[in-house]
Amino acid sequence: KAIEQKPKDVEAYYNLGSAYFDKGVFDSAITAFDKTIQINPEYRPAYSLLGIAYTKVGKYDDAIQILKKRIEFDPDLAIAHSNLGIVYSMKGMDKEALTAYNKALEIDPGHAINAFQTAVMSDPNNVEIYNDLGTAYKAKGMEKDAEGYFSIYKKKTKKGK
């Protein structure tokens, strides 16, 4: 209804996209977020959810493009880098994923831990993530957790040789 009254209302389209996103109706969310960005290309939050929505429907190249745009707006936004890392990981682009995760780690070690844990769940055979997770825990001063992940990394790298 808000869109009918104000067809150029960025917030209305963003809220509509968010509602679709929350319900798991990602194609409709993508349409609403696209419209949000058409109206106001500087509306940053739409890029984050649009990138995730593209990921949910398997449009990884679109997700990468949108998340990179989000990072252009806010290069120090750790979650944008970790979201990009997740998409790269899902696409099998391990080197690029690690670069993105490491950037998130550099910006915010606490957030990077969550991103690395998500990456481990989505790709448990990517041994480098265990090393990065250990590094993230070490940066937070959580030595015991760091040692555990470094140990897993060492075991997995020995097994692979």
Side-chain angles (χ1 to χ4, degrees):
K1 191 169 184 174
I3 292 172
E4 290 173 13
Q5 294 173 351
K6 295 181 182 177
K8 297 282 186 192
D9 186 349
V10 172
E11 290 285 328
Y13 279 102
Y14 179 75
N15 291 337
L16 179 63
S18 296
Y20 282 131
F21 185 93
D22 290 343
K23 291 181 180 183
V25 185
F26 298 112
D27 287 326
S28 295
I30 289 168
T31 301
F33 292 136
D34 274 337
K35 186 66 175 174
T36 303
I37 292 168
Q38 285 174 15
I39 295 169
N40 181 358
E42 303 287 316
Y43 197 79
R44 298 170 183 188
Y47 288 90
S48 297
L49 289 179
L50 179 57
I52 296 168
Y54 275 134
T55 303
K56 296 285 189 180
V57 298
K59 294 182 177 180
Y60 302 129
D61 291 334
D62 292 331
I64 290 167
Q65 179 185 350
I66 290 296
L67 291 170
K68 282 182 174 181
K69 183 71 174 171
R70 180 65 172 112
I71 290 167
E72 284 177 27
F73 284 124
D74 294 303
D76 292 330
L77 187 63
I79 193 167
H81 290 279
S82 61
N83 285 341
L84 182 60
I86 290 167
V87 178
Y88 279 138
S89 184
M90 293 175 85
K91 198 168 178 206
M93 300 172 68
D94 296 339
K95 182 180 175 187
E96 292 85 352
L98 290 174
T99 300
Y101 290 138
N102 283 328
K103 184 64 179 175
L105 172 61
E106 177 186 313
I107 296 166
D108 181 355
H111 178 78
I113 288 171
N114 293 335
F116 288 134
Q117 288 172 334
T118 301
V120 164
M121 288 186 287
S122 67
D123 188 6
N125 296 319
N126 185 346
V127 296
E128 292 301 320
I129 295 172
Y130 293 95
N131 187 52
D132 290 331
L133 194 48
T135 302
Y137 275 113
K138 188 172 184 176
K140 287 283 285 181
M142 301 169 74
E143 297 294 327
K144 288 212 181 287
D145 293 299
E147 289 171 19
Y149 283 102
F150 287 138
S151 175
I152 293 169
Y153 172 74
K154 288 176 187 169
K155 286 177 188 171
K156 286 186 173 275
T157 53
K158 284 182 183 172
K159 209 186 272 186
K161 291 182 179 177

